[in-house]
Amino acid sequence: MLRIDLKSTTPVYEQIANGLRAELVAGGFGPGEKLPTVRQLAIDLGVHHNTVAEAYRQLANEGWLELKRHHGAIVRERRLPRAGPEAKERFVRPLRELVARALGEGLSRDAVAREMMKSARKLGKGRGLPA
Amino acid sequence: MTSLVAAVTIGGFAILHAVILWFLPGLTRRDAYLAVTQAYRQLANGGWLEFKRRNGALVRERRLPRAGPEAKERFSRPLRELVARALGEGLSPNIVAREMMKSARKLERGTV
């Protein structure tokens, strides 16, 4: 379920791309499946169609989607790339910042820790992304 | 943001400016200046900093707000997206899980 937070400092197109990527990783859309058209998704989310198009382009550049004229966006069969040495850092640093933000917003350490443990256990058991 | 807060407490604007230029050599001085001022403004809006004329930005004594019901969602959703990005980049689920566990334990021990 895609949701847009207009108060967020993250650009809307990036929020859309992040949400869709999470769905793709979780297997919400399989290879060959068609995503909603740019216009349809723009209407559903109440944003400009260029914003959705930008999100689709980003995911296409990452290899998740194939954009075809008049056919919309189709999910690609995508092989996982080999993670480079900097990939861990690209996960750890934003994680640290996300935790700091949550604590700054008043979430308790316990609640944040619990949430991370829940996600970690789920991942560790091979059950994929947390819902 | 966390690194910024640390940098502010250590050295103030000039050092932070220099640090950003050093880390991001592609940035022009003007871009770095704008990035820093924007970050400062964001931190000030969040109640972390206070601007004083001729004294720069000072770290404020800040009481933690009471987390609303949506605060957890504002953490868990980006967390899920961050994990998805990491997996999509090829990081193994085990490494991602281990890093989250590590952070969680640090939080529980109060070392973050």
Side-chain angles (χ1 to χ4, degrees), chain B residues 9-24:
Chain B
T9 46
I10 295 166
F13 194 91
I15 290 181
L16 180 59
H17 193 188
V19 166
I20 286 189
L21 276 175
W22 191 68
F23 273 116
L24 302 167

Side-chain angles (χ1 to χ4, degrees), chain A residues 104-122:
Chain A
E105 283 186 0
L107 261 190
S108 73
R109 284 167 179 271
D110 278 350
V112 174
R114 218 168 29 239
E115 208 52 40
M116 281 195 289
M117 287 209 175
K118 208 163 75 182
S119 297
R121 286 204 189 100
K122 209 163 177 201

Side-chain angles (χ1 to χ4, degrees), chain B residues 36-48:
Chain B
V36 174
T37 43
Q38 203 176 345
Y40 269 41
R41 214 170 292 135
Q42 196 178 319
L43 289 169
N45 289 341
W48 293 101

Side-chain angles (χ1 to χ4, degrees), chain A:
Chain A
M1 182 65 72
L2 277 179
R3 241 178 292 163
I4 302 299
D5 180 2
L6 292 175
K7 286 189 209 150
S8 168
T9 50
T10 309
V12 172
Y13 81 88
E14 213 173 305
Q15 291 185 44
I16 297 171
N18 289 344
L20 284 173
R21 190 185 302 103
E23 285 305 314
L24 289 161
V25 171
F29 297 103
E33 234 177 291
K34 227 169 140 177
L35 254 53
T37 62
V38 166
R39 277 178 199 280
Q40 188 55 55
L41 191 55
I43 291 167
D44 291 348
L45 296 172
V47 298
H48 196 274
H49 58 84
N50 280 345
T51 310
V52 177
E54 182 60 33
Y56 277 15
R57 265 195 299 271
Q58 187 174 325
L59 291 170
N61 288 339
E62 291 174 22
W64 291 104
L65 301 180
E66 191 179 349
L67 304 179
K68 285 192 177 173
R69 271 189 92 132
H70 308 303
H71 288 91
I74 295 162
V75 180
R76 289 179 66 174
E77 178 82 54
R78 180 181 185 268
R79 288 208 175 188
L80 282 182
R82 190 185 275 265
E86 72 299 336
K88 197 169 124 185
E89 175 65 13
R90 272 211 302 275
F91 173 67
V92 172
R93 200 154 57 96
L95 177 66
R96 195 168 155 250
E97 291 167 358
L98 186 61
V99 168
R101 188 185 286 264
L103 297 177
E105 283 186 0
L107 261 190
S108 73
R109 284 167 179 271
D110 278 350
V112 174
R114 218 168 29 239
E115 208 52 40
M116 281 195 289
M117 287 209 175
K118 208 163 75 182
S119 297
R121 286 204 189 100
K122 209 163 177 201
L123 264 183
K125 284 178 186 162
R127 288 195 204 142
L129 283 178

Side-chain angles (χ1 to χ4, degrees), chain B residues 8 20 31 39 80:
Chain B
V8 170
I20 286 189
D31 285 343
R80 184 171 183 262

Side-chain angles (χ1 to χ4, degrees), chain B residues 93-112:
Chain B
N94 280 341
I95 292 180
V96 174
R98 204 164 50 228
E99 285 306 321
M100 281 195 288
M101 278 292 192
K102 218 155 72 179
S103 291
R105 289 204 187 100
K106 270 189 191 169
L107 266 180
E108 283 181 336
R109 286 198 302 263
T111 50
V112 170

